[in-house]
Amino acid sequence: RDLARAAFDEALEKDRFAKLTGPQKVWHRAKELYDASRTIVTSYDLSALLRQGKFIALAHPVRAARSIPTMLRSLMSKDAAYRVDQEILHRPNAPIYKQSGLYLADHGAPLAKLEEAYMSTLAEKIPGVAASQRAYNTFLNKLRADSFDAMSEALSSRRPITPAEAKVLANFINAATGRGDLPAGAVALNRVFFSPRYVASRFQLILGQPLYKGTARTRILIATEYARTLLGYAIFYALAKLALPDSEVETDPRSSDAGKIVIGN
């Protein structure tokens, strides 16, 4: 059914393209090529773990580690990625994911709903790019869903979570995993800036935006997540210093190397 739906959507897109005027087709192809070139740059790696996933991975390394086998299986197989998507969509909290605005990437979705690193449909036809996209999306989808389930369970220990509280949790998880809150024109912004939603999410986290709304218990829970992440950073740098005594850590926040561990040259 889903394969048939994808084939139908592709045929529909081809029909729309066929009805464009000559100049419109040229402009459309130019945008596709530009998007594809940017997508290729972000392919052929597994950077989601410590790029978008870093904030949660440092706070909950076991949770992040459990998603790594899923990411690797999705890299190798479409069926594996599909099974993970279906497992997430059939969880008890699945309706709440949608209602609260938790971002879950849909493979083959319209451009505006794709992860920023893979905002190109043309690039999917290049060998290896589609596999990278599957791994990227599947890892982040599972990490977001697992995080939402864990946080909502912690919040529901005394009384049920409210829809407003679910939205606050979803907003925090979106920001923590690089999906910042931007208006509808984000696709156009993505053609000017490299990852506007990711950059916005970093500012939202630094400025404490996830703490602005919600109840006292959501603020306490989210503040605890911040504390766990900062503790994770401290442990990471301490272990790095012990393992690499000749290394240096740039502590000046104004430097482009802030937070980087430098070894020799």
Side-chain angles (χ1 to χ4, degrees), residues 6-47:
F8 176 79
D9 289 341
E10 187 175 350
L12 204 61
E13 190 61 34
K14 287 180 179 177
D15 183 62
R16 289 196 193 101
F17 180 76
K19 292 176 180 176
L20 296 176
T21 64
Q24 286 175 329
K25 287 180 179 178
V26 171
W27 176 242
H28 183 78
R29 289 300 187 201
K31 289 191 294 183
E32 279 194 332
L33 286 170
Y34 181 71
D35 290 338
S37 67
R38 292 160 63 89
T39 295
I40 292 168
V41 170
T42 59
S43 296
Y44 310 111
D45 66 26
L46 299 172
S47 59

Side-chain angles (χ1 to χ4, degrees), residues 14 50 59 63 84 93 104 115 119 123 135 171 183 188 198 207 246 262-263:
K14 287 180 179 177
L50 290 177
R63 183 188 303 165
V84 175
N93 280 336
L104 296 174
E115 288 285 1
M119 294 190 75
N171 174 69
Y198 177 77
L207 297 174
D246 295 332
V262 181
I263 305 165

Side-chain angles (χ1 to χ4, degrees), residues 27 35 89 116 161 175 212 224 231 233:
W27 176 242
D35 290 338
L89 292 174
E116 281 182 328
I161 184 173
Y212 294 171
T224 303
L231 179 61
Y233 269 111

Side-chain angles (χ1 to χ4, degrees), residues 113-257:
K113 295 184 179 180
L114 295 175
E115 288 285 1
E116 281 182 328
Y118 290 95
M119 294 190 75
S120 170
T121 53
L122 178 64
E124 289 183 6
K125 298 176 174 61
I126 300 170
V129 172
S132 296
Q133 181 178 11
R134 285 197 309 271
Y136 207 95
N137 288 343
T138 305
F139 172 81
L140 289 174
N141 282 353
K142 189 174 187 308
L143 186 65
R144 286 168 181 147
D146 288 350
S147 298
F148 187 93
D149 289 347
M151 293 184 74
S152 62
E153 183 180 353
L155 213 60
S156 302
S157 58
R158 293 188 177 181
R159 64 177 185 273
I161 184 173
T162 66
E165 289 175 330
K167 288 182 178 179
V168 171
L169 295 187
N171 174 69
F172 165 71
I173 294 168
N174 288 345
T177 54
R179 193 73 185 181
D181 188 18
L182 285 178
V187 173
L189 282 175
N190 204 71
R191 292 192 174 110
V192 180
F193 304 102
F194 195 77
S195 297
R197 285 192 184 276
Y198 177 77
V199 173
S201 73
R202 302 304 93 175
F203 278 102
Q204 286 172 11
L205 288 174
I206 291 170
L207 297 174
Q209 182 263 2
L211 295 163
Y212 294 171
K213 297 179 181 179
T215 60
R217 61 180 191 154
T218 61
R219 291 191 179 97
I220 291 170
L221 184 61
I222 292 172
T224 303
E225 293 295 307
Y226 270 87
R228 289 181 68 116
T229 298
L230 291 173
L231 179 61
Y233 269 111
I235 293 171
F236 178 81
Y237 284 123
L239 290 174
K241 194 64 181 174
L242 287 172
L244 304 164
D246 295 332
S247 64
E248 294 181 7
V249 178
E250 178 56 73
T251 57
D252 186 350
R254 299 169 298 176
S255 170
S256 60
D257 288 334

